[in-house]
């Protein structure tokens, strides 16, 4: 997937559980697909509802000049919905990537100077503490279901 990718190494217990189960789950990509779908959903929720970075920091306001070009249906990272619509996940080499294939997704995530305009970072990819807990719960439920099915 082109665009922005974030890796989370903070989920050691989740990674360990996934690696332990990989040999038992048939096919192992089923679990990765569940993880990808959950993280994509979390990212959509962050953009559409939470309006904050995964670390909880609130996104910077628009500049006055840019705000004048927006209407009541626009909010941070939404506009016409292109960024949210571009979110997806992909499985490759026993890893799942969640992100966007839009060129401007990286500028929104990391900030920067684009055509002479300083755009502040408005991180939308990544995992909050609540996201991590939700993922662990989902993976544990998936594993429990797999174990029941093997019995």
């Amino acid at each position: 997937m082109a665009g922005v990718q974030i890796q989370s190494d903070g989920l050691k217990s989740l990674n360990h559980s996934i690696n332990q189960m990989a040999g038992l789950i048939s096919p192992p990509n089923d679990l990765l697909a569940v993880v990808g779908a959950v993280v994509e959903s979390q990212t959509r929720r962050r953009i559409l509802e939470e309006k904050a970075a995964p670390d909880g920091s609130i996104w910077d306001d628009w500049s006055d000049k840019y705000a004048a070009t927006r209407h009541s249906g626009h909010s941070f990272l939404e506009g016409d919905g292109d960024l949210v619509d571009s979110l997806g996940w992909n499985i490759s080499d026993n890893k799942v990537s969640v992100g966007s294939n839009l060129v401007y997704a990286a500028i929104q995530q990391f900030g920067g100077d684009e055509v002479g305009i300083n755009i502040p970072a408005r991180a939308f990819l990544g995992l909050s503490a609540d996201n991590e807990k939700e993922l662990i719960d989902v993976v544990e439920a998936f594993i429990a279901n797999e174990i029941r099915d093997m019995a």
Side-chain angles (χ1 to χ4, degrees), residues 76-140:
F76 289 122
L77 303 185
E78 282 187 75
D80 296 321
D82 294 340
L83 182 60
V84 169
D85 290 345
S86 75
L87 294 173
W89 53 270
N90 184 45
I91 298 172
S92 178
D93 298 325
N94 290 322
K95 296 178 185 175
V96 63
S97 299
V98 179
S100 168
N101 61 356
L102 294 179
V103 173
Y104 71 83
I107 285 288
Q108 294 298 336
Q109 178 74 19
F110 302 111
D113 291 325
E114 187 175 289
V115 293
I117 301 169
N118 186 350
I119 298 173
R122 294 186 179 96
F124 61 95
L125 293 170
L127 300 173
S128 68
D130 288 343
N131 294 157
E132 290 178 7
K133 182 181 180 337
E134 181 183 8
L135 269 178
I136 290 168
D137 291 347
V138 166
V139 169
E140 286 176 350

Side-chain angles (χ1 to χ4, degrees), residues 32-49:
L32 293 176
V34 169
V35 169
V38 169
V39 173
E40 179 185 335
S41 176
Q42 293 169 337
T43 305
R44 288 177 188 278
R45 187 170 57 238
R46 179 172 300 113
I47 292 170
L48 297 173
E49 299 168 18

